Every structure is written in structure tokens, then in C-alpha cells.
């Protein structure tokens, strides 16, 4: 039944795609279909650009089995927002801000885009961006995560990243002493 | 490269990021101090951080970071007659001064490069010569001696005298006179928060987000400067810096570098007093004269605001 429903939606999107070939249809691991601007997809994702150039885009929905629907929705949302963002605004802000760290500074809308995500959604988006070769989105999401890590204690970091402490008490004490300088203001 | 050892990848219920992305895309950009704490998180992180490829790339990225720089806004007024509030000019300009790398051990006012003009803006209505500039996230707010505020990117209704970003709460904090407000980016509301226990607000107080994610409030005490900070707006004293009394009776303006070179690791503040620029180390409270602007920059202006 799920397949039939997917086909029905795909039929519709195909009609749209025939009328206006500016979009491509992507299918998440759980079978949901999303449309994204072809131009933005090709510009922002090296993987999608390769698929579009190589003709391996499926009008019924190109299977992205590694990406769940929530993450794919965010990817598509990001691409569409990026397609609409006004380049002149970006130019103005970069000429005034000289805070050019190795990370290309996220634009304000990109900051807002990642700020509203839950931890899980953010982490899923990192994986999706990595899988699709979306350098800019990977930068923006990783920038957010590295900001989350600054100033946090190892315990807090473990909590955020859901990591198990696999050190013994003695080992931990030894490392902490080695690195006492990094903890002086805690 | 790194992260080839995936066996230790933690597998708890919620989502995790694969170690290879975490290490090569996220940890690689952290300053040394945060990175050191990450070594305590788990074995695979420690192994990844210690890997030769990681160490080399982290070092290269740190070097590639642009050198520290400060923003200079100079205003012209008669220094002897200290009542320039009424006088206005119709132009304002912003210069960037790239600071020389941290001196190796000795006290040298290194050769300073010229300050480049970043923005020159005409303001037909006139801007008073006395201004209180602040900055946050590349945004410069100038509150003038009149009731008008100019921002380089946006206009504001309030009169911020200090703004900073609290990364822990994801909110901007603005202080003005006796009120300190927090603007939460999620709920998009203002809320009044506790003022740090520094006594009365002074016109030269500053706020800034430091490299370690904490918000810092810099309070200028009569002849020395003190700095308090706290992550969740539980303020605690971070350090107390005594500045040389180079220009008696002239208030110091203290502010953190917008960009801090890796070697400094977020522990540096820049102070300006008169025409001299100092670099202060928060860890040990020491100060180093960086540049004498009067000598090095050949400005014809009497006063420069440095941020």
C-alpha cells in the first residue's frame, strides 16, 4: 500500500516536473518524497550535482536510503532557502564583519536555521550533509556543534553527544592532571 | 584519515554523529583548550585528537586563521576642552588594525601595519563626536551622546551601551544604565536579568563573548579594570587586571579581541588608554604595550575608539 501511495504522489510530481523541470524529487529512507530546486541542489550538493549531470535522477523520486524524512526535509528546506537568499545582503554583511574565521561564517538566516533544530535533528543533518557532499551545510551544522562544545566540561560534552565514558577513574584522573591548564576556570 | 577505529563508537539510544565527522569536521576547529577537554571525553576522541594527521591539520588551520585585529573608529575633538558633546560631524569611518603576532617573551611595541579603511559613511544628520561604540558578532552599535543610536547593519530602538552573546543560553544580552536585558533567540522575548555585582554601571563597561563560550562583562574600576563573567548569568569574578597608569585620569577602554590567535587561546583582552594600545593576558593579569597609535599610525585625530 505504501508503494502505491508513493507512486501516486510520484505521478503528480512527474507532471509538475514535466511542466517545469526546475526541480528534482528526492525520496527518504522511509519513502517520503521531497521536491527541491534543481539549481540549488546542483550548486549545494556535489553528490546531487553528479547524479543530475549523470542522468541518474529518477523522476519518481531518487532514492536516498541513508537519509530519514526529517533530515531530508531539513536538507530540502535549506536548499530552497539558500536558493531564495539574497546575495547582495550576504555581500553587505561580509564587507562589514571582518570576523573571518576558518569556518566561513554562517549567515544570519543559516544561524537561525540551525538554532531551531533539536540536537538529534542537528546530528542527523550533519550526517545527511556529509552523505550528500554539501560542504556549506556541513560547515554550518558543524560550526553550530563546535559552538555548543566550547566552554563545556567533559561530562557536559558526553551528555550532549550521548557518549559513554569508557575511561577508568584512574585513567581519567591521570589525563586531567596532564591537562590541568585546560580546567583552571571550572 | 583519523577515526579509522570505529569500534569505540558509542551506541546509546539517541542519534550520534560518526566519529570520523566529529573529529575531522568539528573537533578540528576547536581552540586548544576546548580540545584538551575533549581528550577526556572518551578513548576514541583521544586517539583521534592525538593522530598525526589531526595534529598537522589543526596546526595548519590555526596558522591559517587571520591575525588578530581591532576595529578603530576615530573621532575628532578638542582634548583639552572636554565638553565636545554638542559638536557633531557628518562622517564616520571604521579602520581595521591588524595586530602583530604575540611577542616572543619580550616587551616590544612591534611594527604595526597601517590601518585599512573598512567603511566610510556619511551621515548628513550629524553624529556627535562623543560616541559609545560596542560590538558583537561583527555588528557594531554606536550610541551617541544624543538620544540616537546607529548601528552599522541595523537600526535599534534601545540604547545599548554594551552587548554580548551568551552562547549557553543562545541569547543576546544588552546592558544600559542600570538595566541588563536578555533577548532569547528561541522565544524572541526580552527579559530583565541580574546585573553583575560590580556596583554602578560605567560608560566604559563592555560585554563580550569569549572563546570558551562564556559571556563576559568588563567593568572599569577607578584606576584598574575588573572583569566578571558567568555562563548562566551567575556572575563570578574571572580576573582583575591592573593597567599601567599611562594617562592619568583617562578612562581605559577594555575589550576582547574580535579574533584571537590560536596561541592566545581566548585569554587576551585589548585595552586602549589615550593613544596606546595594550594587550592584557587574563590568565596572569599581565599587560604588554602593543602599539602607540600616535606614533605608528600618524593620525591627525585626537582620539580613536578601539574595538
Amino acid at each position: 500500500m505504501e508503494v502505491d501511495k508513493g507512486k501516486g504522489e510520484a505521478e503528480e510530481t512527474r507532471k509538475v516536473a514535466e511542466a517545469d523541470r526546475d526541480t528534482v524529487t528526492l525520496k527518504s529512507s522511509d519513502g517520503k518524497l521531497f521536491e527541491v530546486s534543481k539549481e540549488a541542489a546542483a550548486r549545494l550538493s556535489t553528490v546531487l550535482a553528479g547524479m543530475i549531470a549523470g542522468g541518474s535522477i529518477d523522476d519518481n523520486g531518487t532514492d536516498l536510503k541513508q537519509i530519514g524524512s526529517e533530515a531530508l526535509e531539513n536538507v530540502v528546506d535549506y536548499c530552497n532557502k539558500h536558493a531564495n537568499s539574497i546575495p547582495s545582503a550576504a555581500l553587505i554583511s561580509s564587507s562589514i564583519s571582518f570576523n573571518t574565521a576558518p569556518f566561513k561564517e554562517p549567515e544570519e538566516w543559516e544561524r537561525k536555521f540551525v538554532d531551531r533544530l533539536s540536537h538529534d535533528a542537528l546530528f542527523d543533518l550533519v550526517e545527511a550533509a556529509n552523505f550528500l557532499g554539501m560542504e556549506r551545510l556541513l560547515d554550518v551544522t558543524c560550526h553550530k556543534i563546535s559552538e555548543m562544545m566550547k566552554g563545556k566540561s567533559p561530562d557536559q560534552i558526553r551528555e550532549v553527544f550521548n557518549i559513554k565514558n569508557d575511561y577508568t577513574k584512574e585513567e581519567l584522573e591521570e589525563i586531567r592532571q596532564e591537562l590541568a591548564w585546560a580546567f583552571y576556570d571550572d | 584519515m583519523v577515526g579509522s577505529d570505529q569500534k569505540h563508537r558509542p551506541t546509546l539510544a539517541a542519534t550520534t554523529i560518526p566519529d570520523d565527522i566529529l573529529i575531522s569536521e568539528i573537533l578540528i576547529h576547536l581552540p586548544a583548550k576546548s580540545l584538551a577537554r575533549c581528550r577526556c571525553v572518551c578513548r576514541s576522541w583521544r586517539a583521534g585528537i592525538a593522530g598525526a594527521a589531526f595534529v598537522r591539520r589543526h596546526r595548519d588551520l590555526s596558522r591559517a586563521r587571520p591575525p588578530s585585529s581591532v576595529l578603530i573608529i576615530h573621532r575628532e575633538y578638542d582634548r583639552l576642552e572636554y565638553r565636545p558633546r554638542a559638536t557633531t560631524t557628518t562622517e564616520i569611518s571604521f579602520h581595521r588594525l591588524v595586530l602583530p603576532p604575540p611577542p616572543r617573551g619580550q616587551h616590544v611595541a612591534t611594527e604595526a601595519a597601517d590601518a585599512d579603511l573598512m567603511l566610510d559613511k556619511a551621515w548628513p544628520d550629524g553624529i556627535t563626536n562623543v560616541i559609545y561604540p560596542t560590538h558583537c558578532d561583527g555588528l557594531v552599535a554606536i550610541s551617541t551622546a544624543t538620544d540616537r543610536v546607529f548601528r552599522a547593519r541595523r537600526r535599534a530602538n534601545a540604547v545599548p551601551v554594551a552587548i554580548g552573546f551568551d552562547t549557553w543560553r543562545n541569547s543576546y544580552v544588552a546592558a544600559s544604565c542600570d538595566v541588563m536585558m536578555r533577548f532569547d533567540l528561541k522565544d524572541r522575548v526580552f527579559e530583565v536579568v541580574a546585573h553583575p555585582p560590580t556596583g554602578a554601571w560605567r560608560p566604559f563597561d563592555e560585554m563580550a563573548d569569549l572563546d570558551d563560550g562564556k559571556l563576559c562583562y568588563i567593568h572599569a574600576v577607578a584606576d584598574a579594570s575588573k572583569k566578571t563573567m558567568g555562563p548562566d548569568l551567575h556572575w563570578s569574578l574571572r580576573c582583575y587586571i591592573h593597567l599601567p597608569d599611562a594617562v592619568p585620569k583617562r578612562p581605559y577602554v577594555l575589550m576582547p579581541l574580535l579574533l584571537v590567535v590560536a596561541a592566545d587561546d581566548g585569554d587576551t583582552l585589548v585595552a586602549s588608554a589615550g593613544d596606546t594600545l595594550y594587550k592584557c593576558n587574563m590568565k596572569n593579569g599581565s599587560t604588554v604595550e602593543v602599539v602607540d597609535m600616535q606614533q605608528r599610525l600618524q593620525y591627525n585625530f585626537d582620539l580613536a575608539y578601539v574595538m
Side-chain angles (χ1 to χ4, degrees):
Chain A
M1 293 310 282
E2 200 59 36
V3 176
D4 281 352
K5 190 177 161 235
K7 260 190 182 159
E9 281 176 24
E11 284 295 328
E12 276 181 34
T13 41
R14 183 163 25 197
K15 274 176 210 155
V16 175
E18 271 162 16
D20 170 19
R21 289 183 175 276
D22 288 348
T23 62
V24 289
T25 308
L26 305 174
K27 193 192 224 171
S28 66
S29 60
D30 44 344
K32 288 199 180 149
L33 296 173
F34 295 94
E35 264 198 64
V36 62
S37 142
K38 188 184 268 183
E39 184 277 326
R43 180 159 48 90
L44 298 168
S45 159
T46 53
V47 170
L48 292 177
M51 288 170 92
I52 291 166
S56 51
I57 286 290
D58 185 345
D59 282 349
N60 295 326
T62 303
D63 263 328
L64 297 172
K65 290 205 171 67
Q66 294 80 351
I67 304 177
S69 56
E70 197 194 350
L72 192 55
E73 191 178 351
N74 283 325
V75 165
V76 166
D77 196 16
Y78 177 82
C79 289
N80 291 337
K81 279 208 173 91
H82 213 288
N84 296 333
S85 75
I86 311 146
S88 62
L91 278 176
I92 291 163
S93 72
S94 64
S95 68
I96 290 172
S97 160
F98 53 91
N99 205 349
T100 42
F103 270 130
K104 284 166 225 137
E105 279 290 299
E107 300 289 335
E108 196 167 329
W109 72 267
E110 287 174 319
R111 241 182 242 276
K112 281 184 192 150
F113 180 82
V114 293
D115 277 350
R116 64 175 177 81
L117 299 175
S118 69
H119 282 173
D120 279 359
L122 183 62
F123 293 178
D124 284 339
L125 193 54
V126 168
E127 283 204 73
N130 186 52
F131 176 76
L132 290 171
M134 299 178 71
E135 199 192 329
R136 175 73 191 170
L137 182 57
L138 192 62
D139 263 7
V140 170
T141 48
C142 287
H143 182 268
K144 169 72 185 170
I145 295 171
S146 74
E147 272 177 8
M148 280 159 49
M149 294 175 81
K150 283 181 189 171
K152 287 208 164 73
S153 70
D155 277 341
Q156 288 169 318
I157 292 174
R158 275 188 219 108
E159 197 181 322
V160 171
F161 292 90
N162 210 354
I163 289 171
K164 198 168 171 278
N165 181 2
D166 53 3
Y167 284 119
T168 64
K169 243 186 184 168
E170 293 73 31
E171 280 175 323
L172 208 56
E173 195 41 49
E174 201 176 299
I175 303 169
R176 275 191 76 110
Q177 273 174 8
E178 242 173 66
L179 301 170
W181 59 275
F183 293 92
Y184 77 95
D185 61 354
D186 278 347
Chain B
M1 39 180 304
V2 286
S4 53
D5 182 3
Q6 292 283 314
K7 275 176 293 187
H8 294 299
R9 179 178 164 183
T11 46
L12 296 179
T15 313
T16 52
I17 299 174
D19 271 358
D20 55 343
I21 302 180
L22 242 172
I23 292 166
S24 64
E25 300 289 340
I26 297 168
L27 301 188
I28 197 86
H29 293 291
L30 287 174
K33 197 190 287 175
S34 300
L35 202 56
R37 292 181 193 177
C38 287
R39 290 177 60 181
C40 301
V41 169
C42 66
R43 289 170 195 268
S44 61
W45 283 28
R46 188 192 190 190
I49 292 167
F54 183 93
V55 171
R56 206 176 313 119
R57 199 165 147 238
H58 189 260
R59 187 199 58 202
D60 291 348
L61 279 174
S62 305
R63 282 188 186 159
R65 240 166 246 160
S68 305
S69 55
V70 290
L71 180 68
I72 299 177
I73 308 167
H74 30 70
R75 308 294 294 155
E76 192 173 2
Y77 64 76
D78 189 342
R79 182 195 299 231
L80 296 171
E81 190 189 358
Y82 201 82
R83 40 185 297 279
R85 287 177 176 272
T87 64
T88 59
T89 49
T90 52
E91 268 181 6
I92 186 158
S93 60
F94 299 84
H95 285 78
R96 178 207 339 235
L97 173 66
V98 177
L99 294 178
R104 301 260 171 255
Q106 74 276 56
H107 255 242
V108 234
T110 332
E111 295 298 318
D114 283 336
D116 338 315
L117 181 66
M118 296 177 69
L119 182 72
D120 201 354
K121 200 163 172 54
W123 214 286
D125 290 349
I127 301 176
T128 53
N129 278 314
V130 170
I131 54 170
Y132 300 124
T134 56
H135 70 85
C136 184
D137 290 349
L139 204 77
V140 178
I142 297 165
S143 94
T144 65
T146 64
D147 57 353
R148 307 185 60 168
V149 178
F150 303 101
R151 276 208 216 171
R153 275 166 65 185
R154 264 184 273 150
R155 281 193 106 128
N157 299 321
V159 185
V161 292
I163 48 174
F165 187 67
D166 182 357
T167 47
W168 283 58
R169 307 275 302 229
N170 208 22
S171 57
Y172 280 92
V173 178
S176 125
C177 299
D178 291 327
V179 188
M180 190 172 275
M181 307 273 282
R182 175 161 59 204
F183 183 71
D184 193 297
L185 285 171
K186 253 194 198 119
D187 305 335
R188 311 205 73 77
V189 285
F190 280 106
E191 120 190 62
V192 177
V193 293
H195 199 275
T198 46
W201 167 84
R202 282 162 175 272
F204 289 95
D205 284 5
E206 290 287 341
M207 248 197 292
D209 45 327
L210 295 184
D211 226 19
D212 57 8
K214 290 177 183 170
L215 181 68
C216 137
Y217 184 90
I218 303 153
H219 180 65
V221 194
D223 52 357
S225 286
K226 178 165 101 172
K227 201 174 78 60
T228 45
M229 66 182 307
D232 207 0
L233 294 173
H234 299 305
W235 302 99
S236 59
L237 181 65
R238 166 77 174 250
C239 71
Y240 200 95
I241 295 168
H242 289 274
L243 292 169
D245 205 9
V247 187
K249 296 220 170 79
R250 181 169 287 250
Y252 282 97
V253 183
L254 260 178
M255 39 203 99
L257 289 171
L258 289 184
L259 296 169
V260 180
V261 288
D264 291 333
D265 205 18
D267 288 327
T268 308
L269 287 170
V270 167
S272 76
D275 300 311
T276 313
L277 208 61
Y278 297 95
K279 241 165 85 165
C280 311
N281 186 317
M282 287 194 281
K283 219 183 276 183
N284 55 23
S286 68
T287 46
V288 178
E289 186 181 320
V290 182
V291 59
D292 183 326
M293 289 188 283
Q294 196 70 13
Q295 278 182 3
R296 305 278 171 182
L297 299 175
Q298 309 289 309
Y299 283 142
N300 298 318
F301 298 93
D302 283 330
L303 182 74
Y305 291 95
V306 180
M307 346 213 293

